[in-house]
Amino acid sequence: MHRQSDLIHPAFNLTKIFISVWLASTLAACGSDNDSATTPPAKTGVASLPTGNLIKDPLTTKNLTASALTQLFNTTDPDFSQVAATPKCGVRVEYMQYDTVDVKGNKTDATGAVFIPTGTDADCNGNRPIVLYAHGTATTKAYNFAEVGNANNEAGPDATLLAALFAGQGYVVISPNYAGYDKSSLAYHPYLNAQQQSHEMADALKAGREVVRRTGSATNVADNGKLFITGYSQGGYVTMATTRYLETLKEPVTAALPISGPYAMEAFGDVVFGGKVMLGATFFNPLMARNYQEQYGNIYAKPSDMFAPANADEIPSLLPSASTTEQLISSGKLPASAMFQKAPTGNSTLDTLSPSDPAFSFGFDTTHYLVKNDYRLGYLADAQKNVDWAVPYLQGYTNYSPVPATAPEHPLRKALKANDLRGYLPTMPVIMCGGNQDPVVFFDVNSSLMKTLWDTDTNKTSTTKLGIIDIDITNRATRQKPVYQTLGFDTVNNNSIQSQSEKMQAGFASKVQNIAAIAAANGGNPSQAVAMQYHDLVTPYCMGVAQTLFSQF
């Protein structure tokens, strides 16, 4: 059994954190039948939601031909665009504003983008399938997915790649910016909040479908009823939560491919507080703490109960920010990477964990760290008393089923359990994808645990279609774990998906090798170079698998 000390890439010194969401994929044709005979969907649960209404008429912000989109694609990601399908469609970018809910269920507002394929190719008009996309963690308030081609907006590179690789192949793409970003009036972002974020995804879907309807006479594009969901990192979590929510609404979902998501929230929190600090924790934690404080009201009485820096009371309101992550670090407002105090802490319990593994030394500092010792001690005491059974399971005790603690008492652990997605068995086809050496969202603590629980769930039926793909084969000889597993797909479909997975795994391995070689040639640390890019680098290759998965339907 894989142990916690093996859950992350070897040690490196982190001096800068770039919480960027570089996205690439290789979605090819949506099918040669043009779906022209498909009847648009009838009114569904999403359509009946009281929110998800457009606040203003949609605004066209870009209208790119297939050749112009291809040029942007090649510029944004020249390496991946060489192996990805060239866009056959242009794209019309629509900016939308819609109403949604906050963590208390009160009405608020948010914005997003709808990418509509254009062109004379049969796959670029008529009745088209929808991809509902959930983006990864963003730190800048101005994040706006309608900014295709704008390298100065944090969403720009992602939006460009998504437009090229989904809309460019004939999919309508609907992507919310999320409440709290862009022009949203919400003063915080409901980060990793299963209830709010899944509801907002449904609202964005409803609003996006209305945009497609309103623009249909100009674009000759309509919704054919097929709905695919994908996203990575935070968006992988949101993808999984959204499939669960749409099931309760009886909203038809064709298939989903969540990527690198923190699905097992309580277990992940226990591993991090136990000393295996994730890369980027000093940015993720304030976003999460503010969200759960807004929802539950008990994460802290005042921010300085949780946060250690002198500006503790300011920390929950720092993100999303008008400043860059580099500016927040250089100004001292947030530690670069240190989540906890480095030993000696003055407490023997903490000293053994600070860090317990040198590979995670970047997550500790003597003076400038994020979380106070007494807050961490309270969390750890509850983790010891009310065990999340995934932790001993990860340590090799396979007689434990990796389920959450029955009744955690610490407010943060209670919040994490409430938003933990273990226990959900999808009824639509779902394949998880990620990389086993991810230093940001640990693969074995999240994806592998979900797959273990799916394997043992007695509610599976003859129609259950589930799977997991480890896109990283660079350590296959020493890891000795399966890199591709599916259940319920017929032989033809399964062979197609596996063949594409092997192609993407080879591409990922080649890219990792190139990054390491370039770093070494320039006198850098190859392991550090790979680790800094790893989390984002996984995404395009997993999206390459989505090309084949989605095409099966």
Side-chain angles (χ1 to χ4, degrees), residues 10 21 24 33 40 130 138 150 194 226 315-316 318 337 355 380 383 391 421 434 443-444 474-476 518 546 551:
V21 193
D33 61 359
I130 288 176
N150 183 2
K226 293 181 182 179
I315 286 175
L318 286 178
S337 60
L380 292 172
V391 175
L421 299 180
F443 184 82
D444 285 337
T474 62
N475 62 344
R476 188 172 187 174
I518 291 171
S551 71

Side-chain angles (χ1 to χ4, degrees), residues 21-27 80 131-137 162 165-166 178 191-192 201 229-241 243 255-264 268 421 430-436 438 440-443 446-448 450 454 467-472 504 508 533-547 549-550:
V21 193
W22 290 88
L23 172 67
S25 66
T26 56
L27 287 177
F80 197 75
V131 169
L132 181 61
Y133 177 72
H135 70 74
T137 304
L162 203 68
L165 297 163
F166 285 76
Y178 301 151
Y191 185 65
L192 297 175
M201 287 285 282
I229 312 176
T230 190
Y232 101 104
S233 192
Q234 175 189 1
Y237 172 87
V238 173
T239 296
M240 190 77 76
T243 60
L257 192 140
I259 302 169
S260 304
Y263 317 114
F268 195 15
L421 299 180
V430 175
I431 294 181
M432 295 178 290
C433 189
N436 73 79
D438 193 338
V440 176
V441 179
F442 304 160
F443 184 82
N446 292 286
S447 298
S448 294
M450 287 290 284
W454 289 352
I468 186 170
I469 297 166
D470 180 358
I471 213 71
D472 185 0
M504 293 298 106
F508 179 82
Q533 299 183 52
Y534 190 104
H535 184 63
D536 295 338
L537 186 63
V538 163
T539 305
Y541 297 95
C542 284
M543 287 292 182
V545 179
Q547 171 189 5
L549 173 64
F550 294 173

Side-chain angles (χ1 to χ4, degrees), residues 118-141:
T118 62
T120 58
D121 190 288
D123 285 333
C124 304
N125 51 67
N127 294 328
R128 307 308 310 151
I130 288 176
V131 169
L132 181 61
Y133 177 72
H135 70 74
T137 304
T139 60
T140 54
K141 169 72 175 174

Side-chain angles (χ1 to χ4, degrees), residues 401-402 425 449-460:
S401 179
L425 181 73
L449 287 184
M450 287 290 284
K451 179 59 167 56
T452 297
L453 289 167
W454 289 352
D455 288 343
T456 57
D457 197 312
T458 57
N459 292 314
K460 292 194 299 294

Side-chain angles (χ1 to χ4, degrees), residues 266 387-391 400-406 422 453:
E266 185 188 70
V387 177
D388 186 304
W389 298 106
V391 175
Y400 292 106
S401 179
V403 296
T406 302
R422 282 174 286 174
L453 289 167

Side-chain angles (χ1 to χ4, degrees), residues 23 92-93 145 217 239 277 311 351 361 367 424 436 484 503:
L23 172 67
R92 173 168 167 160
V93 180
F145 222 73
S217 59
T239 296
V277 178
N311 64 319
D351 284 349
S361 60
T367 56
Y424 167 53
N436 73 79
Y484 178 86
K503 178 182 176 182

